Amino acid sequence: MSRTHQLGELQLEIMRVLWSAREATVAEVHVALQPRRELAPTTVATMLSKMEKKGVVDHRTEGRQFVYRPTVPEIDVHRSMVGDLTRKLFGGDPTALVHHLLNEQEIDPAELESIRRMVEASETEHGDLESGDAEGRA
């Protein structure tokens, strides 16, 4: 991924609405956010305009309304923001990030087992890649 996508809390909430709905008007985003945030529709419109300038959303015109849609996948935003967090807080060391999460967060046994399975799957995947690389060099 060549671009970074750093979004604020409200921008992320708006993106979640758009990722879920695929597209929405200012009014629809406003209604979706209403249970969690007391925002004026003009605030939502201003934020969407700023997000469009950032390149994370675009719009089409339908009658007199703008219909917004996300231009970046959720996974790209996650990668960018987690990568930035890892660089800023942990000097780029993902092990330090995982260590922090395991030691500072309350993790129930089912979640811990799920994490173990992910680590095992990653080891298997990377082990296969490494053995394939070794064979390619032999």
Side-chain angles (χ1 to χ4, degrees), residues 2-71:
S2 60
R3 291 186 65 186
T4 60
H5 305 289
Q6 299 304 309
L7 303 176
E9 186 178 335
L10 176 55
Q11 292 174 334
L12 274 173
E13 287 186 46
I14 291 170
M15 288 300 288
R16 286 184 183 114
V17 171
L18 294 175
W19 286 321
S20 176
R22 296 204 171 124
E23 63 177 22
T25 64
V26 170
E28 290 166 338
V29 173
H30 179 254
V31 167
L33 295 177
Q34 199 62 36
R36 296 181 301 281
R37 288 190 177 254
E38 291 290 326
L39 298 171
T42 54
T43 302
V44 175
T46 299
M47 189 58 64
L48 281 162
S49 177
K50 288 179 180 182
M51 293 168 68
E52 188 165 23
K53 287 177 184 153
K54 276 186 165 186
V56 296
V57 302
D58 68 6
H59 77 272
R60 64 181 172 79
T61 304
E62 189 173 282
R64 296 181 63 204
Q65 293 185 324
F66 285 176
V67 180
Y68 289 89
R69 69 175 187 86
T71 59

